[in-house]
Amino acid sequence: MIWILAALAFWIGTLLLNVRISHSRFSTTRAGRLVVPAIFGLTILVVWELLVRGLQVPSVILPPPSAIGARIASSLPVLWGDFVQTFVKGALTGWLIGCGAAVLTAIAIDRSPFLQRGLLPVGNFVAALPIVGIAPILVMWFGFDWQSKAAVVVVMVFFPVLVNTVAGLAATDSMQRDLMKTYSASYAQTLLKLRLPAAMPFIFNGLKIATTLALIGAIVAEFFGSPIRGMGFRISTEVGRLGLDMVWAEIAVAALAGSAFYGAVALIERGVTFWHPSQRRQQ
Amino acid sequence: MRSVVPVLTVVAVIVGLWYAAAVGMNAAWVRDQAARSGTEVSFLDLVPQTMTQERPVLPAPHQVAKGLWDGVTGQKVTSKRSLVYHAWITLSATLLGFGIGTGLGILLAVGIIHNKAMDQSVMPWAIASQTIPILAIAPMIIVVMNSIGVSGLLPKAVISAYLSFFPVVVGMVTGLRSPDRMQLDLLSTYNASRAQTFWKLRLPASMPYLFASLKVGIAASLVGAIVGELPTGAVAGLGARLLSGSYYGQTIQIWAALFAAAIVAAVLVGIVGWVQAVVLRRMGMAR
């Protein structure tokens, strides 16, 4: 009972604190914008811990954060092995191949308006389909190891990036293109100096969507068969053994990896498209 | 209308490539069989044999179409072999989850725009959660809910709801914030209350954003429901069809289930798009 009351008290306390901070002038500063969500995240962890202890939730249903932290600390080598297998080999390789192929294909079909009008609706259609479903087929074709996961990722990221790149290459208006023509610029020059830079915000939009898809694809593909390592493999086997603390540890690693991946792409985007209005610093 | 011919051409090319790939990939098995029986196969004999295998590496398009047709019309709707039966199980979880996720998402978005503390504490986490592979949690939700006695439709719907929740929150917050300063000032010169501002300005202005999110959300819901069926060990639903097909090497079954899922997704997105067109036209916002 005392745990539950403590959880309630902590929750109300941090809630009031957050309300106060967000209505003060501090919240408009950079630190304030970090502190408020940080307190909220901390609140969730503490209340989770206290409630699990107070209500005596069995750890096969929901382990407390402290147990998850201890599990992460004690099984770092396993987690690292899974991370390398799923993220570095599967997701990252697939992401690089898929995004590269998509951008090159987009430039190729850009030269033909016929293909553009034909391929874009098909691409849009395919991008909305549950492509995760092709995982069993690709696992059959490419074997159980990371190559099949990379293949799933390639197919999953290809269409969103393709659709965004094609839309981006059409983003320049005819006045700008006419200007390039009056300079007698060749197709390659127009592409490199005008249209690709103008397409960058769109391309990065696709690349950012693809980061999440890549990790999802690599993990779900492991549910259809994998060697005895990898995040998806670990999650599905540990769930079967009711080792929920290990499952949560993997989820924490996946969350960190996913956020870091997205953040890295967003940072590159800021460097490449510094001129775009959406990157201007907010007043 | 202008794009009908190009689209048809592209689709025709894809089908053509598919047939060529089917011949190429299935040929190895035919050659093996021929070598085992000590006969030679010419190319003209080879092609028809690659089209009619029981378990091809890559089924030809007409085999998949036949599998799909048999699955839909060949069985009684209640039969365990009917794709309609499996699609309905997946679809019901999708729709339930989509309803829950959309409802909660809109409620949270309303809270976020009216409460500054909530905005500053929840919104960064909502955005960060987009970068997390949420599907990783799917098997855990299934097993945990099963262990406390909840099984069947609801666990899958929870995963669907989770996946459609955040697109709706993010889109709806953007939408509810889309009225500009001038419009808000006009309402305050009318002495409109917060509730009136919400109902008469913010909510109508958010509709295009809401529908854009709903299209993303319903496709994500379907993926959630399919993935939610994987860890239950192949009982029913399109995900279970994929999994059992992968266990027993029934490639045609996998492809048929895959196309059934694709058709369901296309129909769902199409319905949302149609509702969007009707609603926006009724509200005078159609472009």
Side-chain angles (χ1 to χ4, degrees):
Chain A
M1 199 59 204
I2 195 100
W3 294 107
I4 300 172
L5 286 180
L8 211 59
F10 188 84
W11 180 57
I12 292 172
T14 49
L15 190 68
L16 289 178
L17 183 66
N18 256 353
V19 170
R20 261 194 84 147
I21 293 179
S22 62
H23 285 281
S24 71
R25 296 219 353 239
F26 177 60
S27 73
T28 51
T29 62
R30 210 191 171 113
R33 242 182 263 135
L34 284 177
V35 164
V36 176
I39 292 177
F40 181 76
L42 186 73
T43 311
I44 289 183
L45 284 184
V46 172
V47 170
W48 172 359
E49 176 88 38
L50 292 175
L51 281 185
V52 166
R53 281 162 189 265
L55 300 172
Q56 294 181 343
V57 180
S59 67
V60 292
I61 291 182
L62 187 65
S66 57
I68 298 165
R71 169 60 74 170
I72 292 178
S74 69
S75 47
L76 276 180
V78 176
L79 290 173
W80 175 249
D82 293 347
F83 173 79
V84 169
Q85 168 77 13
T86 303
F87 184 79
V88 180
K89 288 186 184 164
L92 206 57
T93 321
W95 187 80
L96 287 174
I97 299 174
C99 294
V103 171
L104 291 181
T105 313
I107 292 173
I109 68 172
D110 176 61
R111 297 212 72 162
S112 139
F114 182 81
L115 259 187
Q116 215 183 94
R117 256 185 287 148
L119 208 65
L120 212 53
V122 176
N124 261 324
F125 174 74
V126 176
L129 299 181
I131 308 185
V132 185
I134 51 147
I137 296 161
L138 292 182
V139 169
M140 244 176 231
W141 288 358
F142 292 97
F144 284 154
D145 210 351
W146 62 269
Q147 288 89 346
S148 62
K149 280 69 191 175
V152 173
V153 174
V154 167
V155 179
M156 275 184 83
V157 303
F158 184 79
F159 288 101
V161 177
L162 178 73
V163 170
N164 274 294
T165 311
V166 171
L169 287 174
T172 48
D173 54 37
S174 51
M175 192 101 85
Q176 294 163 320
R177 265 178 268 176
D178 284 348
L179 181 67
M180 291 304 275
K181 222 168 262 163
T182 60
Y183 292 159
S184 88
S186 66
Y187 175 82
Q189 283 172 324
T190 315
L191 187 70
L192 283 178
K193 303 224 150 102
L194 171 67
R195 303 184 55 211
L196 267 184
M200 278 304 156
F202 292 84
I203 296 178
F204 271 101
N205 188 28
L207 293 183
K208 284 196 285 188
I209 296 171
T211 57
T212 329
L213 289 178
L215 208 47
I216 288 178
I219 290 178
V220 171
E222 287 182 355
F223 295 162
F224 288 98
S226 69
I228 52 162
R229 56 183 181 278
M231 292 159 126
F233 166 79
R234 194 78 56 205
I235 289 173
S236 52
T237 50
E238 288 292 331
V239 155
R241 291 167 40 189
L242 292 177
L244 265 277
D245 50 350
M246 191 64 194
V247 176
W248 278 100
E250 288 286 354
I251 290 171
V253 172
L256 275 180
S259 307
F261 193 11
Y262 185 92
V265 175
L267 264 185
I268 299 173
E269 176 186 23
R270 184 172 295 177
V272 174
T273 65
F274 56 91
W275 47 270
H276 194 256
S278 68
Q279 300 293 333
R280 271 179 216 148
R281 196 156 295 158
Q282 283 171 359
Q283 299 300 322
Chain B
M1 265 345 253
R2 232 162 42 105
S3 55
V4 169
V5 174
V7 168
L8 286 181
T9 316
V10 168
V11 170
V13 168
I14 291 175
V15 172
L17 284 178
W18 184 352
Y19 267 113
V23 171
M25 293 177 73
N26 298 337
W29 189 78
V30 177
R31 287 215 184 85
D32 274 0
Q33 290 296 95
R36 211 167 288 167
S37 58
T39 52
E40 282 283 310
V41 279
S42 69
F43 184 74
L44 280 179
D45 293 335
L46 188 110
V47 171
Q49 288 189 43
T50 56
M51 297 286 142
T52 51
Q53 292 172 10
E54 277 278 299
R55 296 175 180 188
V57 182
L58 174 67
H62 67 266
Q63 283 181 301
V64 176
K66 186 169 175 296
L68 203 56
W69 182 252
D70 282 351
V72 173
T73 61
Q75 336 277 341
K76 273 211 299 213
V77 176
T78 48
S79 153
K80 290 240 155 125
R81 298 175 55 156
S82 164
L83 271 176
V84 180
Y85 165 79
H86 291 286
W88 167 247
I89 288 182
T90 306
L91 184 65
S92 53
T94 307
L95 291 180
L96 180 62
F98 178 66
I100 299 172
T102 308
L104 289 179
I106 292 175
L107 282 183
L108 186 66
V110 172
I112 282 176
I113 61 147
H114 281 117
N115 184 325
K116 213 173 159 213
M118 217 162 143
D119 172 27
Q120 292 198 331
S121 38
V122 179
M123 208 47 195
W125 290 102
I127 293 168
S129 76
Q130 297 270 9
T131 67
I132 297 168
I134 288 160
L135 287 179
I137 309 180
M140 195 188 58
I141 295 176
I142 302 280
V143 170
V144 166
M145 288 186 79
N146 206 17
S147 73
I148 56 174
V150 183
S151 61
L153 197 61
L154 202 57
K156 288 188 279 177
V158 168
I159 298 165
S160 288
Y162 205 96
L163 281 174
S164 58
F165 176 68
F166 285 108
V168 172
V169 172
V170 175
M172 201 60 186
V173 167
T174 319
L176 290 172
R177 289 226 171 99
S178 62
D180 60 25
R181 200 65 253 165
M182 196 118 75
Q183 294 168 316
L184 290 170
D185 281 348
L186 181 66
L187 279 191
S188 71
T189 61
Y190 290 162
N191 194 21
S193 67
R194 274 186 100 156
Q196 283 172 322
T197 313
F198 178 78
W199 289 112
K200 302 214 148 92
L201 175 61
R202 287 188 187 275
L203 195 63
S206 70
M207 280 303 135
Y209 297 86
L210 175 66
F211 278 108
S213 307
L214 289 185
K215 278 189 198 163
V216 178
I218 201 155
S221 290
L222 186 67
V223 173
I226 290 175
V227 174
E229 283 158 359
L230 299 181
T232 53
V235 184
L238 292 176
R241 288 293 276 185
L242 289 177
L243 197 65
S244 69
S246 123
Y247 281 162
Y248 302 115
Q250 298 283 359
T251 32
I252 298 179
Q253 179 187 328
I254 299 181
W255 282 88
L258 196 59
F259 270 78
I263 292 167
V264 171
V267 169
L268 288 177
V269 174
I271 290 174
V272 174
W274 178 74
V275 173
Q276 172 184 29
V278 170
V279 168
L280 292 190
R281 195 161 58 234
R282 267 311 205 34
M283 292 171 68
M285 293 165 84
R287 271 175 291 168

